[in-house]
Amino acid sequence: MSLHSHHIRRHEAMSGSAFDTALGTIPRHELPEGIQDPDAAMRFIQDELMLDGNARQNLATFVTTWMEPQAVALIRSSLEKNIIDKDEYPQSAEIERRCVNILANLWHAPEPTGGADAVGCSTTGSSEAAMLAGMALKWRWRARREAAGLDATRPNLVMGANVQVCWEKFARYWDVEARLVPLEGATHLTAGQAAAACDENTIGVVAVLGSTFDGSYEPVAQIAAALDKLEASTGLDVPIHVDAASGGFIAPFLDTELLWDFALERVKSINASGHKYGLVYPGVGWVLWRSAEDLPSDLIFSVDYLGGSMPTFALNFSRPAAQVVAQYYTLVRYGFEGYRRIQERSRQIAGTIARGVEAMGPFTLLSRGDELPVLAFKCTTPAGWSVYDLSHELRTFGWIVPAYPMPEGMADTDVLRVVVRNGFTFDLAGMFLADVAKSVDRLSGRQNEAVAFHH
Ligand SMILES: *Cc1c(COP(=O)(O)O)cnc(C)c1O
């Protein structure tokens, strides 16, 4: 939730909408005194929400904007369920556990001993998952340091400057130095840089499977090998957490040869956003640990569960069960083959857009949609107009395509990013490319007019 500042406009009132709702005036920033008719209240809010962007033309977000009606029906029928009430809703708890086990298998976690469950849980998204995984790293590092009688007051976390903001949040909230490595020779963290940034106070390295800036995968296996070497020469044993917010639901289906998950011994935990390429509406993420050893037991709390107690690790207490149920639906409904087809199609569409953009001339691609179905491109200098102008121009056709500078190390490069998700089609891709071409023409024309006017 954004933290809205309190602009209290005491007497500002909302006049009735075009479809006069008979609400008269409703104050916007304070609780109305009277009671409203439910239909009128709904229409009043619907009218406002119409001003939000059109999800299908939103190429900015990674988050799912379309689900099947059957999934929506399941969500509706579990809306009132609180996932923490494991006693009251044991079947929802069971479904969460199945999802964790399915993901553990998909990500090659070692079999838990004695038929136990895999170690992990659902969260509200990858951000909460990052907090939990980061805490586990910090706790483990501190325990090791204290046991050895060493100072444990200056932890750091090594990551590329391209990490998602949740990692900077983790570092600030949990008092860990965010050791952000500037980009050098790549659009993300490289193995050599990661190992060079580690020292005895490093609680872990975050490797991102699918950078939010350009969709590229960080080389997890190479980072692991570099850390193996570091351990051999210095004795420092630095664990890896993989932030697979997007890639956790792409790589297992499309890049089956890629080594990035628990198949690598050094990978101790992984997070993913169920609500991104997991194909569920916003509100669900996952975090898994390699084994029970990697999740310190003093971070785990017990909740009552059918007369017994059930371990939980979460920042929230009450939270909807509906998204977890919806995740289980997508896993059961699509299966491996369904996910593979959906993600493959998104990747093909991203590739089509990348080739179209490249063929237009004035752009250079940073990524072409062959890792995450995401492409980033910059203007080939000098275009006379910027990616910000183009983003603005595309807005007039309804397309939402963000433009921004790359992180430290490449901060003088400004890019546009296109995220292809389930529900986007080859037809829409064609329309999008046509609108990019028109926007470029308009911008170039305007440029010429401006030049002509000067002379
Ligand atoms: C989106 C994203 C996050 C944050 O995930 P939420 O599910 O939105 O909280 C973290 N890391 C990466 C790489 C992401 O793409």
Side-chain angles (χ1 to χ4, degrees):
M1 193 185 86
S2 21
L3 196 61
H4 301 287
S5 56
H6 283 257
H7 290 296
I8 303 200
R9 297 173 213 116
R10 289 222 154 258
H11 301 290
E12 184 185 356
M14 178 74 186
S15 56
S17 76
F19 309 95
D20 188 15
T21 57
L23 284 180
T25 56
I26 288 198
R28 285 202 239 180
H29 302 281
E30 55 192 61
L31 190 67
E33 274 181 26
I35 299 166
Q36 316 297 335
D37 172 72
D39 284 328
M42 183 183 73
R43 273 204 308 276
F44 166 73
I45 296 167
Q46 267 174 348
D47 287 354
E48 288 226 32
L49 291 177
M50 265 171 40
L51 302 177
D52 280 346
N54 169 8
R56 300 226 30 217
Q57 284 187 295
N58 184 347
L59 298 177
T61 183
F62 283 88
V63 175
T64 301
T65 48
W66 181 83
M67 286 191 83
E68 292 181 319
Q70 292 83 350
V72 176
L74 278 170
I75 290 173
R76 228 175 248 142
S77 66
S78 40
L79 269 179
E80 78 284 12
K81 294 188 181 176
N82 182 358
I83 200 154
I84 200 73
D85 284 343
K86 303 198 192 281
D87 205 8
E88 195 175 346
Y89 306 119
Q91 230 34 52
S92 299
E94 166 65 17
I95 280 174
E96 177 181 19
R97 199 158 47 191
R98 287 185 202 165
C99 290
V100 168
N101 287 333
I102 289 171
L103 292 177
N105 284 318
L106 199 60
W107 297 340
H108 302 105
E111 283 287 316
T113 45
D117 286 309
V119 187
C121 57
S122 69
T123 59
T124 48
S126 280
S127 301
E128 185 187 4
M131 302 300 145
L132 302 180
M135 271 194 281
L137 289 175
K138 181 176 173 180
W139 260 240
R140 296 248 311 149
W141 167 84
R142 192 169 51 199
R144 279 198 309 275
R145 298 283 293 173
E146 284 172 353
L150 297 166
D151 172 69
T153 58
R154 298 188 345 268
N156 69 66
L157 181 63
V158 169
M159 46 200 170
N162 56 303
V163 285
Q164 212 265 357
V165 65
C166 69
W167 292 104
E168 294 175 60
K169 272 192 196 171
F170 163 75
R172 197 174 306 168
Y173 294 174
W174 271 271
D175 220 3
V176 170
E177 177 202 342
R179 197 162 278 183
L180 294 165
V181 179
L183 306 184
E184 198 188 302
T187 56
H188 51 237
L189 185 67
T190 62
Q193 288 177 309
C198 292
D199 60 25
E200 59 178 8
N201 290 317
T202 302
I203 64 172
V205 170
V206 175
V208 184
L209 198 75
S211 172
T212 43
F213 284 86
D214 67 347
S216 63
Y217 290 169
E218 289 185 343
V220 188
Q222 287 175 31
I223 292 173
L227 293 175
D228 288 346
K229 239 193 211 161
L230 181 76
E231 183 174 5
S233 62
T234 65
L236 292 177
D237 181 7
V238 181
I240 293 177
H241 171 82
V242 181
D243 177 358
S246 295
F249 284 99
I250 296 282
F253 306 109
L254 301 188
D255 309 294
T256 48
E257 302 295 304
L258 185 74
L259 273 175
W260 68 274
D261 58 15
F262 292 121
L264 296 165
E265 187 72 29
R266 201 167 279 280
V267 172
K268 303 300 182 195
S269 46
I270 299 175
N271 69 273
S273 295
H275 55 217
K276 290 185 175 173
Y277 290 100
L279 308 178
V280 180
Y281 283 144
V284 64
W286 301 95
V287 57
L288 272 69
W289 286 267
R290 172 177 204 83
S291 69
E293 245 173 70
D294 298 300
L295 177 57
S297 56
D298 57 341
L299 288 173
I300 299 172
F301 290 79
S302 281
V303 297
D304 287 341
Y305 177 58
L306 288 179
S309 79
M310 174 137 175
T312 72
F313 183 27
L315 298 182
N316 291 81
F317 189 69
S318 300
R319 189 155 63 75
Q323 267 70 9
V324 171
V325 171
Q327 181 77 78
Y328 190 54
Y329 170 81
T330 64
L331 295 171
V332 168
R333 148 83 173 122
Y334 297 131
F336 188 93
E337 182 55 19
Y339 266 98
R340 196 194 60 73
R341 280 194 209 169
I342 289 168
Q343 315 301 33
E344 177 70 30
R345 192 180 154 81
S346 293
R347 188 179 270 180
Q348 285 168 352
I349 291 172
T352 300
I353 296 176
R355 286 188 296 278
V357 163
E358 195 169 37
M360 251 170 242
F363 304 113
T364 306
L365 296 172
L366 275 79
S367 57
R368 40 182 64 248
D370 49 8
E371 292 183 329
L372 295 187
V374 168
L375 57 133
F377 55 98
K378 61 178 181 177
C379 287
T380 310
T381 48
W385 41 265
S386 69
V387 288
Y388 301 96
D389 297 325
L390 182 55
S391 174
H392 188 260
E393 203 63 38
L394 284 169
R395 208 52 211 238
T396 65
F397 293 98
W399 300 105
I400 304 170
V401 183
Y404 49 81
M406 290 293 284
E408 194 188 344
M410 277 185 77
D412 53 356
T413 302
D414 299 299
V415 298
L416 280 162
R417 185 192 67 197
V418 171
V419 175
V420 177
R421 299 183 308 279
N422 189 24
F424 201 73
T425 61
F426 281 105
D427 280 349
L428 282 166
M431 283 158 60
F432 172 71
L433 283 170
D435 289 342
V436 174
K438 277 185 233 161
S439 302
V440 168
D441 281 350
R442 273 195 208 163
L443 287 166
S444 310
R446 212 169 274 167
Q447 171 75 3
N448 292 340
E449 270 165 38
V451 171
F453 178 79
H454 271 294
H455 292 278

